[in-house]
Amino acid sequence: FAGYISQVLKNYTDHACDGEYVSLRCPHRTTISIQSSFYGRIVPSHQMCPSRYPHSYATLIKEDVACSVGTSLQKMLDECQDRRSCQFLVNSRLFGADPCPGTGKYLLVWYKCRPNEYKSKVACEDDKLRLSCKKSMVIAIYSAIFGRTQGGSLECPYQTLGMPMIECQSATALQLMIKRCHGKRSCSIYASTYEFGDPCYPGIRKHLNVIYTCDNTPFLLPVDERQPPAVNSSMEPVGVSTEMALLSNILAAYAFVT
């Protein structure tokens, strides 16, 4: 479960030079969610994707290091979004007109692995948010936002009172929700500035929006609910304590947030 969650929370990055295959893959029960994409060249070839042309020919061509296409994100969405895996050969023909003929280009892709099934809950400011999973299932936090989003919240309509519609979000909401709820069957937290701080100007109404999934785990059960521990040749119990498993998960999540 710790490995599954760290893979879900992780921001993946992949790249491929012209003439190479790019391959994106997500773990079981998750799908690809494209975050951003770039195709072109913004660094010299000696730093990334060396020129495929003979050295004598490459020196005759001035390399363009301010070259990009605007269709790379849409192409990645078309090819990979919501799939478990995808793979294709990278070349300029995929992205339309070549913005810099004679310059070798590369593709950079940033993506996440989104659970196939997930739930969303919202609590208005100063209300309590409760999350729960069925027996033998535990909470896996996917995202958390505390503040005010541009689109607002249907559950928590804003009274503008002459205030402009600005967006403001806590930078620590995800980290706090993981610490409070990650690996538990149920948890609760107040959507308050006491818990999350105030990322907005005073007087701006905020809300907490959490996306999570429930999954099976044999690793985070309390000690008295686990199977009898395995023993080694010296007949001493072998295993990892619940506290260490939780600490490992929190550290993995903190590394992602950082």
Side-chain angles (χ1 to χ4, degrees), residues 4 7-8 11-12 37 42 49 55 69 71 104 141 172 196 208 248 254 257:
Y4 171 84
Q7 287 178 304
V8 168
N11 274 331
Y12 292 86
S37 176
I42 54 174
C49 294
H55 181 70
V69 298
T71 57
I141 301 295
T172 59
F196 296 94
L208 174 63
S248 174
Y254 179 76
V257 172

Side-chain angles (χ1 to χ4, degrees), residues 82-224:
D82 296 328
R83 299 184 181 182
R84 170 87 187 280
S85 63
C86 70
Q87 178 176 292
F88 58 90
L89 185 67
V90 175
N91 60 67
S92 60
R93 292 187 298 276
L94 289 172
F95 302 98
D98 191 338
C100 46
T103 294
K105 292 166 282 294
Y106 51 84
L107 175 68
L108 291 171
V109 184
W110 294 267
Y111 68 101
K112 294 184 71 171
C113 293
R114 181 170 53 197
N116 292 341
E117 299 178 5
Y118 53 88
K119 306 175 183 181
S120 177
K121 277 204 169 183
V122 175
C124 305
E125 188 172 2
D126 296 327
D127 289 344
K128 182 182 283 188
L129 180 77
R130 294 182 176 89
L131 307 180
S132 63
C133 293
K134 296 178 181 178
K135 190 176 181 180
S136 78
M137 308 282 279
V138 293
I139 298 166
I141 301 295
Y142 181 70
S143 71
I145 295 173
F146 177 75
R148 183 172 183 163
T149 54
Q150 198 69 256
S153 168
L154 295 176
E155 297 88 345
C156 308
Y158 298 133
Q159 294 179 341
T160 59
L161 299 177
M163 294 291 290
M165 284 297 295
I166 60 173
E167 184 169 328
C168 47
Q169 297 179 18
S170 168
T172 59
L174 176 61
Q175 181 183 359
L176 179 57
M177 288 304 304
I178 288 171
K179 287 183 177 180
R180 288 291 186 89
C181 300
H182 175 67
K184 297 180 180 179
R185 291 200 182 99
S186 64
C187 69
S188 62
I189 188 171
Y190 279 98
S192 68
T193 54
Y194 176 80
E195 296 282 4
F196 296 94
D198 194 344
C200 308
Y201 289 108
I204 293 180
R205 188 83 170 152
K206 295 163 283 292
H207 69 273
L208 174 63
N209 184 14
V210 178
I211 297 176
Y212 69 103
T213 186
C214 295
D215 209 340
N216 298 298
T217 173
F219 300 113
L220 298 182
L221 296 175
V223 174
D224 59 352

